[in-house]
Amino acid sequence: MNFELTEEQSMLQKTVRSFVDQEIMPYIDEWDAKGHFDTDTLKKISELGLMGVCIPSKYGGSGMDYNSLAIVCEELERGDTAFRTAVSVHTGLNSMTLLQWGTEAQKEKYLIPQAKGEKVGAFGLTEPGAGSDVASLQTTAKLDGNEYVLNGQKTWISLCDTADHFLVFAYTDKERSHHGISCFIVERTMQGFSSKATKGKLGIRAGNTGELFFDDMRVPKENLVGKEGDGFKIAMSALDNGRFTVAAGACGQIMACLEASVDYCHERQTFGKEIGKHQLVKQMIANMEAGLQMSRLLVWKAGELKNSGKRNTRETSLAKWQACDFANKAADDAVQIHGAYGYSNEYPVERYLRNSKAPVIYEGTREIHTLMQADYVLGYRKDKSLDHMLPKWPFED
């Protein structure tokens, strides 16, 4: 076991940190207050090659390992959850799913431009009545000649108004329950597609989130990913990648909470000394540090399993559950350390607290992950081998 970053990973970490300090930190408070998703910043992230960091070079990516994606997500979330979310959805949920399940023709048409950052990808699974209970989704896809006709609605979709391509899940055979769900590549320009942003969110206000609508939208038969009925398997394996990036991002949020809190501990004095000298403040700082180090190790373990080409649903679930809970607690403690000032947007910690709530809900609530981990330990849950796995790293030419 080697816990040191490689020279390439260290350079990547420094590059993303510098980008965050220069391109996100000075503007994020304004974007958050206005509910503005800055697409120019997303373009700059693409120009750095971060949208395809762990996609093989033959498909337009940087060809780095899966833990390099974790490093990118950690550093971006140190700036704000909105931009980590964009990479999570584009790379983790969409591009890595195409890498794992797509045909060569689909990779050529969709994955390559996404990995190069020329196009943006997103993921359409959640519906108004289908969150944790995926089998309750209502969107349908009916084959008509050489096309599928999609009707339905998705909600809480990141990059809803920004993405060019979406992986959309719909029933092709409702009588088969989750075995009747299929996955399709949908383009924004397809007739019958529309989107609408959601306003009034508690957090991640600088991100673009909303609804997708499909009204007799015709999708070419060749845009079916995998086979009919593979959709549930594809969605769950996609979540293994998405949850990995969310967990990595949570490490960045803890890091941001620590940085802000440590600065304030030295800045603020009470009872004649820095507040960092008070034992209960030290306890909160120590808990943040412990949460950061434990979460990062869980993330890196999941990443190494991905690098080895091994299934990692159990390990990724644990990392996502624990890292997001640690981040939520770190943000709460950061506000407490700042006292009344933590309740004001004069300091960034109130934004961290608002942002920290969504990750303990999406891509598997903390309750779902709690049940998953218990079922693994009790022997009630065992992961079967998948028809398609992510390629091992280093990638073959």
Side-chain angles (χ1 to χ4, degrees):
M1 290 179 286
N2 183 358
F3 298 105
E4 296 294 323
L5 298 183
T6 65
E7 184 178 349
E8 189 177 32
Q9 288 172 331
S10 294
M11 289 177 61
L12 175 67
Q13 185 182 57
K14 290 176 183 176
T15 297
V16 184
R17 176 161 292 212
S18 176
F19 174 84
V20 167
D21 287 342
Q22 296 175 33
E23 302 291 344
I24 296 178
M25 292 291 203
Y27 314 107
I28 189 58
D29 289 334
E30 179 184 353
W31 295 337
D32 181 79
K34 292 181 178 180
H36 169 69
F37 179 60
D38 194 71
T39 53
D40 287 340
T41 301
L42 187 63
K43 289 177 184 175
K44 292 175 183 177
I45 291 172
S46 298
E47 289 167 0
L48 284 176
L50 304 182
M51 300 293 268
V53 67
C54 64
I55 303 299
S57 57
K58 70 176 180 178
Y59 294 123
S62 300
M64 297 182 72
D65 78 320
Y66 297 111
N67 270 330
S68 294
L69 173 62
I71 291 168
V72 169
C73 290
E74 178 177 321
E75 293 297 330
L76 285 176
E77 184 135 2
R78 177 178 159 268
D80 192 73
T81 310
F83 296 100
R84 189 276 304 157
T85 298
V87 172
S88 284
V89 171
H90 171 92
T91 306
L93 290 174
N94 189 307
S95 293
M96 290 173 72
T97 302
L98 289 177
L99 178 64
Q100 185 172 351
W101 292 89
T103 64
E104 287 302 314
Q106 289 169 345
K107 292 172 184 176
E108 181 75 24
K109 185 174 181 179
Y110 296 105
L111 178 58
I112 290 177
Q114 287 180 190
K116 290 180 176 179
E118 298 168 353
K119 298 288 184 180
V120 176
F123 191 78
L125 179 62
T126 302
E127 297 188 0
S132 299
D133 183 10
V134 175
S136 293
L137 65 83
Q138 297 297 312
T139 300
T140 59
K142 296 183 178 179
L143 186 60
D144 180 22
N146 290 320
E147 296 175 313
Y148 285 92
V149 181
L150 270 65
N151 283 283
Q153 175 185 355
K154 300 293 178 179
T155 192
W156 296 113
I157 306 304
S158 298
L159 303 177
C160 66
D161 292 329
T162 306
D164 302 289
H165 310 144
F166 301 81
L167 291 181
V168 172
F169 296 84
Y171 269 114
T172 46
D173 186 352
K174 258 201 145 171
E175 293 183 1
R176 298 185 63 213
S177 186
H178 61 277
H179 294 295
I181 298 172
S182 300
C183 176
F184 301 89
I185 303 170
V186 166
E187 299 177 26
R188 174 176 297 281
T189 54
M190 290 177 174
Q191 190 171 356
F193 177 95
S194 60
S195 64
K196 178 184 177 183
T198 298
K199 302 299 183 182
K201 295 180 296 181
L202 171 67
I204 320 182
R205 294 175 182 173
N208 174 227
T209 315
E211 299 174 284
L212 308 179
F213 303 93
F214 318 116
D215 183 12
D216 286 335
M217 182 180 65
R218 305 186 79 86
V219 179
K221 191 175 179 180
E222 58 266 26
N223 281 30
L224 173 70
V225 181
K227 306 185 296 293
E228 280 197 10
D230 279 348
F232 185 80
K233 290 189 293 184
I234 294 171
M236 293 304 104
S237 65
L239 288 174
D240 283 349
N241 301 327
R243 289 166 177 169
F244 173 67
T245 65
V246 173
C251 296
Q253 177 131 98
I254 301 170
M255 189 161 53
C257 291
L258 258 175
E259 290 178 3
S261 297
V262 167
D263 285 347
Y264 193 74
C265 281
H266 292 310
E267 171 189 323
R268 174 75 167 165
Q269 292 197 358
T270 62
F271 303 101
K273 57 185 177 183
E274 293 183 354
I275 63 169
K277 299 280 188 179
H278 298 301
Q279 287 185 341
L280 292 180
V281 174
K282 288 182 178 182
Q283 182 183 51
M284 288 185 278
I285 294 292
N287 285 337
M288 288 185 205
E289 175 66 9
L292 174 60
Q293 297 302 330
M294 288 187 278
S295 298
R296 193 179 275 152
L297 289 173
L298 289 171
V299 170
W300 286 354
K301 179 178 180 180
E304 279 305 303
L305 289 172
K306 291 180 186 296
N307 286 340
S308 301
K310 297 176 182 176
R311 187 156 182 188
N312 51 87
T313 302
R314 179 176 182 172
E315 292 80 7
T316 298
S317 165
L318 183 61
K320 194 271 182 186
W321 169 34
Q322 290 299 298
C324 292
D325 269 8
F326 277 129
N328 188 217
K329 184 64 169 66
D332 187 47
D333 283 346
V335 170
Q336 195 70 17
I337 287 170
H338 283 70
Y341 288 106
Y343 205 67
S344 161
N345 63 5
E346 183 176 348
Y347 289 87
V349 291
E350 61 86 28
R351 172 166 54 87
Y352 300 157
L353 181 58
R354 288 187 288 104
N355 286 354
S356 73
K357 188 57 186 175
V360 299
I361 298 173
Y362 59 51
E363 297 199 37
T365 62
R366 63 159 62 109
E367 291 77 17
I368 288 291
H369 289 293
T370 300
L371 295 175
M372 285 176 65
Q373 292 303 315
D375 285 346
Y376 279 122
V377 175
L378 290 165
Y380 301 148
R381 181 185 181 104
K382 289 182 172 60
D383 292 325
K384 300 176 182 177
S385 60
L386 293 172
D387 299 335
H388 299 79
M389 294 292 293
L390 282 173
K392 294 180 182 180
W393 186 88
F395 303 123
E396 295 180 0
D397 294 331

